[in-house]
């Protein structure tokens, strides 16, 4: 099937800015999220959001807008200098940890704006209009970690620069899991990990899914998305859905492509996935990994032997 690429949306410049929506309520992780933003929950000793800002910075997205909300001031504090902690570490002579404390301050040029109410991802992204201006920009969800050893965003930025329009990150999911994601209808085959998309819908019932390809928390969007968001009505969840605005742009003839990802990804807003992320990264941690792995292997043996956790 052909995929029209109107001249007006084609662009050769790779996006240079990133938007990280982090204003959601995090109800799946309550009560932990009553006072602590879920984006700051630690994955071993680094908050989830720092992994995401670092990913943007690695791809040359030096200007990063974080969408925050009431009760999420700790996000700004995390990326600010922390003289007391830094002085204490200096006195202790702990240079390694000091460097890691300072890392978050130097990662990127951070900007903040607040979403007044958690009215959905589309509404959060709409707050980035002034920041993005007339350029394409990346959106990285604040609770969706892509392992830094696996490539996704860089390829998405290249595809967007080449083909224009919208590019979304995709994973293959099994069975009913599609109802937790946006679902895409392909407009052709996967070639070199890239697939043209005809349309997409948000969180379908499993029987209404358009394929088993699910949209994950990485997008590269053209500035036309803001007009489309203004024309989009609230979805069935009562939220302004980014997926609905992307579908509108697709109907306008803007090309949509997906980059299929099969690497390591952790949705830290989901408790199971969060726990897996912590265990996996703890096993691989340069300081903790050896001891933790030894304990973990013993622990698993005990579970297998006793069917319980009496350790
Ligand atoms: P989620 O879909 O995980 O929603 O948002 P949520 O409300 O944060 O969490 P649950 O489902 O209640 O547990 C995906 C990303 O979009 C941001 C969130 O902060 C998260 O990083 N988001 C979501 C916003 O910034 N604003 C919103 O209105 C909704």
């Amino acid at each position: 099937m052909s995929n029209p690429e109107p001249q007006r949306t084609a662009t050769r410049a790779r996006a240079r800015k990133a938007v990280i929506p982090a204003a959601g309520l995090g109800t799946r992780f309550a009560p932990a999220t009553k006072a602590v933003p879920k984006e700051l929950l630690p994955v071993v000793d680094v908050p989830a959001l720092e992994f995401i800002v670092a990913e943007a910075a690695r791809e040359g997205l030096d200007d990063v807008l974080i969408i925050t909300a009431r009760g999420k001031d700790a996000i700004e504090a995390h990326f600010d200098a922390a003289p007391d902690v830094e002085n204490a570490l200096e006195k202790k002579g702990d240079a390694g940890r000091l460097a890691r404390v300072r890392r978050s301050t130097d990662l990127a040029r951070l900007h903040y704006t607040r979403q007044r109410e958690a009215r959905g991802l589309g509404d959060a992204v709409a707050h980035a209009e002034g920041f993005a201006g007339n350029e394409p920009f990346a959106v990285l969800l604040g609770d969706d970690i892509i392992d830094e050893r696996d490539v996704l965003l860089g390829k998405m930025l290249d595809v967007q620069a080449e083909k224009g329009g919208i590019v979304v990150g995709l994973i293959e999911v099994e069975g009913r899991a599609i109802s937790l994601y946006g679902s895409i209808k392909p407009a052709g085959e996967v070639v070199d990990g890239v697939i043209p998309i005809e349309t997409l819908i948000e969180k379908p019932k499993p029987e209404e899914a358009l394929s088993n390809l699910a949209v994950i928390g990485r997008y590269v969007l053209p500035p036309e998305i803001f007009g489309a968001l203004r024309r989009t009505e609230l979805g069935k969840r009562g939220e302004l859905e980014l997926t609905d605005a992307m579908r509108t742009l697709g109907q306008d003839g803007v090309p949509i492509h997906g980059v299929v990802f099969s690497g390591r990804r952790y949705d830290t807003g989901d408790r199971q996935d969060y726990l897996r992320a912590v265990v996996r990264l703890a096993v691989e941690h340069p300081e903790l990994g050896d001891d933790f792995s030894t304990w973990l292997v013993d622990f698993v043996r005990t579970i297998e032997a006793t069917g319980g956790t009496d350790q």
Side-chain angles (χ1 to χ4, degrees), residues 21-28 38-39 115 118-121 124 141-143:
L25 297 176
T27 53
R28 283 173 295 155
K38 73 169 166 180
E39 295 80 6
Q115 187 184 15
R119 291 182 61 236
L121 180 57
L141 296 194
D143 57 354

Side-chain angles (χ1 to χ4, degrees), residues 5-11 160 163-165 222 224 253-255:
E5 297 188 7
Q7 206 55 39
R8 67 195 159 83
T9 56
T11 168
Q160 204 278 340
K163 299 180 184 295
E224 288 83 358
V254 172

Side-chain angles (χ1 to χ4, degrees), residues 181-241:
Y181 299 87
S183 158
I184 66 113
K185 182 172 183 191
E189 300 294 312
V190 181
V191 177
D192 283 341
V194 179
I195 186 168
I197 293 174
E198 187 178 319
T199 192
L200 62 181
I201 52 171
E202 184 62 22
K203 297 190 173 59
K205 292 184 184 141
E207 61 276 15
E208 289 165 6
L210 305 175
S211 69
N212 69 340
L213 287 171
V215 180
I216 56 169
R218 296 291 180 278
Y219 311 79
V220 187
L221 300 170
E224 288 83 358
I225 195 71
F226 298 111
L229 282 165
R230 273 191 288 278
R231 289 184 276 140
T232 301
E233 308 213 330
L234 298 187
K236 23 178 211 238
R237 298 191 295 166
E239 296 187 355
L240 189 57
E241 304 283 7

